[in-house]
């Protein structure tokens, strides 16, 4: 029979300790909802007690929603050994599960708290007893436990001999500085699981040596019943073990455990947290990075047509994604054919060769080519009248003046009809889009949503450098996305170019 493990997501607590990240109350609530309702993690840690008014508001919103849904026990808050202070905060926030921070190494205890183990344990007991009497669930963190196991194992045992007898639910084992190796993660967790067989242990890894996922997996193999993860690996310093990667590794390589997470939702939560945190997901981040299911080398795209030679267990559809084929200097004919197929275009061999040559030349010049660029390249290379210019910008004026709202006046030609509209916006491009929306409304045409806007300027510090804007669009409720690209030395102009390509494509 498989052993059931719990996944605790701490994006909203440890993840928010990523430098520069701060979630608003509304962002915390929607993230908590997605994590519990769709991703289906078992528990979430959503804040540290007593941090700020904003945190209190966020936890109140989450707990009142969670109560209605019957999820209140799944919402946890980091609290401190501080007499009644954290407890009062918890009561005000409406939370019922506290993760009490205690010292897991003699080094931390003597140098930070400057207390003896006996005094520390008695203070912990008082807080736990009071919390339980008031109806709270208590889990206990042993901060710096990993160094505790390395350098003061006797202290860790003394702590656990004492605290595992208290009325608590779980012991949480953080590798606070992310210094453990996978071998130590296994042997340290195993030592505790054997010594305290009745206790539920969670393992909490940090990623300072890029070993976060490897370490949580070893923790699970050693018998930990729970692991702490964060979306996109956010967290203090180098972050925590990443949710998506750990889930994929556990599913594929640790066959004797089971857990609740729905892997088809991992991409969605990753994008949501990317937006809220402002921390871009590196394109090569396993499972959720933009490029990780993109075949670039022509030989790979060719192999995909021949008995799926370049496909592994890690299929993109498991995560709600699909295989894409990059266009650039290493793409061969097969990549281009795969992209044309997605656009419903087929070309004779001779023409395909010419288009391939042009894409290789563009790649040599470091230009990015998207699938949506293909019709334009085909028209150009094969000297065909571009069937794509049904909508064109005739003129526009964009203003940006100090103290006044940016505005745009836009003249558009749609087939033979000319429209002119103006609008204001939060920036010149926003004003342009608002004017465009007015025109398209007259044509009873709904624009797709802009879901990503990426600007790339080559390094080198030139003010006249070419600026590439790649915009991703999607119609509400649809899965399929479209990316269009513009290139100009002016950033707004390159965004307008990308927008016009989108209009002509749809
Ligand atoms: C605050 C504590 C629990 C922590 O995140 C850690 O020690 O890694």
């Amino acid at each position: 029979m498989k052993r059931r493990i719990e996944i605790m997501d701490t994006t909203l607590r440890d993840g928010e300790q990523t430098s520069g990240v701060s979630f608003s109350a509304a962002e915390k609530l929607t993230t908590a909802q997605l994590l519990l309702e769709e991703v289906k993690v078992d528990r979430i840690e959503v804040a540290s007690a007593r941090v700020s008014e904003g945190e209190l508001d966020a936890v109140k919103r989450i707990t009142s929603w969670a109560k209605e849904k019957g999820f209140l026990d799944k919402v946890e808050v980091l609290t401190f050994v501080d007499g009644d202070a954290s407890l009062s905060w918890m009561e005000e926030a409406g939370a019922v599960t506290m993760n009490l921070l205690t010292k897991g190494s003699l080094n931390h205890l003597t140098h930070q708290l400057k207390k003896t183990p006996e005094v520390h344990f008695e203070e912990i007991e008082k807080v736990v007893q009071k919390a339980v009497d008031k109806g709270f669930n208590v889990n206990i963190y042993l901060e710096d436990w990993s160094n505790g196991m390395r350098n003061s194992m006797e202290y860790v045992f003394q702590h656990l001999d004492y605290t595992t007898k208290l009325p608590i639910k779980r012991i949480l084992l953080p590798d606070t500085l992310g210094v453990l190796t996978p071998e130590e993660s296994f042997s340290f967790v195993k030592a505790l699981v054997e010594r305290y067989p009745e206790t539920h242990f969670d393992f909490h890894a940090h990623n300072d040596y890029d070993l976060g996922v490897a370490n949580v997996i070893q923790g699970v193999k050693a018998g930990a019943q729970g692991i702490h993860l964060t979306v996109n690996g956010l967290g203090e310093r180098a972050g925590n073990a990443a949710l998506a990667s750990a889930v994929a590794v556990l599913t594929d390589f640790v066959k004797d455990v089971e857990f609740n997470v729905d892997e088809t939702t991992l991409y969605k939560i990753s994008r949501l947290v990317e937006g809220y945190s402002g921390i871009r997901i590196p394109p090569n981040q396993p499972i959720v990075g933009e490029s990780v299911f993109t075949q670039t080398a022509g030989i790979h795209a060719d192999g995909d047509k021949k008995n799926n030679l370049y496909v592994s267990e890690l299929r993109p559809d498991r995560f709600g994604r699909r295989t894409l084929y990059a266009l650039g200097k290493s793409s061969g004919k097969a990549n281009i054919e795969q992209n044309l197929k997605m656009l419903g275009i087929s070309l004779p061999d001779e023409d395909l060769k010419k288009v391939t040559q042009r894409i290789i030349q563009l790649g040599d010049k470091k230009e990015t080519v998207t699938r949506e660029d293909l019709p334009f390249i085909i028209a150009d290379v094969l000297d065909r009248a571009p069937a794509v210019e049904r909508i064109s910008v005739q003129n526009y004026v964009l203003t940006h003046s100090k103290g006044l709202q940016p505005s745009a006046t836009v003249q558009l030609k749609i087939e033979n009809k000319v429209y002119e509209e103006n609008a204001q916006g939060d920036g010149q491009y926003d004003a342009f889009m608002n004017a465009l929306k007015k025109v398209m409304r007259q044509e009873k045409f709904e624009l797709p949503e802009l879901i990503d806007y990426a600007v790339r300027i080559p390094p080198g510090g030139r003010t006249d450098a070419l600026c590439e804007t790649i915009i991703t669009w999607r119609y509400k409720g649809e899965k399929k996305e479209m990316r269009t690209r513009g290139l100009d030395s002016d950033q707004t102009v390159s965004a307008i170019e990308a927008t016009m390509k989108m209009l002509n494509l749809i």
Side-chain angles (χ1 to χ4, degrees), residues 278-305:
I279 305 287
R280 278 229 170 233
I281 309 164
N284 60 350
Q285 170 100 13
I287 318 295
V288 293
E290 219 34 63
S291 322
V292 295
F293 295 114
T294 300
Q295 307 275 41
T296 300
I299 187 173
H300 288 198
D302 179 63
D304 279 357
K305 293 188 304 184

Side-chain angles (χ1 to χ4, degrees), residues 13-14 17 78 101 141 143-144 174-176 204 206:
R13 197 280 296 169
D14 210 330
Q17 288 173 220
L78 179 77
L101 190 69
Y141 266 119
E143 192 184 19
D144 200 37
D175 176 13
T176 299
H204 175 113
H206 277 276

Side-chain angles (χ1 to χ4, degrees), residues 459-470:
R462 284 176 34 200
T463 51
D464 65 344
L466 276 181
C467 164
E468 180 181 70
T469 305
I470 297 185

Side-chain angles (χ1 to χ4, degrees), residues 320-423:
R321 307 194 60 189
R322 60 186 181 145
T323 305
L324 297 173
Y325 298 91
L327 296 167
K329 66 177 169 186
S330 28
S331 35
K333 242 173 57 185
N335 281 46
I336 294 159
E337 263 179 320
Q338 294 275 19
N339 279 284
L340 288 173
K341 203 161 114 194
M342 289 183 201
L343 293 174
I345 299 173
S346 82
L347 287 180
D349 230 36
E350 208 35 41
D351 292 348
L352 193 59
K353 267 192 206 144
K354 288 188 198 158
V355 172
T356 308
Q357 276 320 310
R358 171 60 63 88
I359 289 170
I360 292 171
Q361 282 163 8
L362 288 169
D364 261 339
K365 287 200 245 158
K366 288 174 92 71
E367 288 196 23
T368 312
V369 182
T370 70
R371 184 182 331 127
E372 286 74 17
D373 284 329
L374 282 174
F376 299 86
I377 293 172
I378 293 170
D380 191 28
V381 173
L382 305 181
D383 219 13
R384 291 187 184 155
V388 283
E389 272 282 305
R390 289 173 57 202
I391 307 185
S392 57
V393 202
Q394 302 287 289
N395 297 294
Y396 56 77
V397 182
L398 307 173
T399 67
H400 179 98
S401 349
K402 188 167 162 33
L404 295 174
Q405 239 205 321
S407 66
T409 302
V410 178
Q411 202 180 61
L412 268 195
K413 188 165 172 205
I414 304 183
E415 291 177 335
N416 290 323
K417 227 163 150 185
V418 176
Y419 296 85
E420 188 174 310
E421 283 296 348
N422 58 59

Side-chain angles (χ1 to χ4, degrees), residues 3 160-161 164 169 189-201 222-223 225:
R3 185 161 60 90
L160 292 175
D161 287 349
T164 53
K169 294 225 167 216
V189 172
K190 184 126 186 106
L192 300 193
V193 167
E194 284 176 356
R195 193 178 162 113
Y196 306 96
E198 303 301 320
T199 304
H200 172 125
F201 288 104
Q225 288 107 322

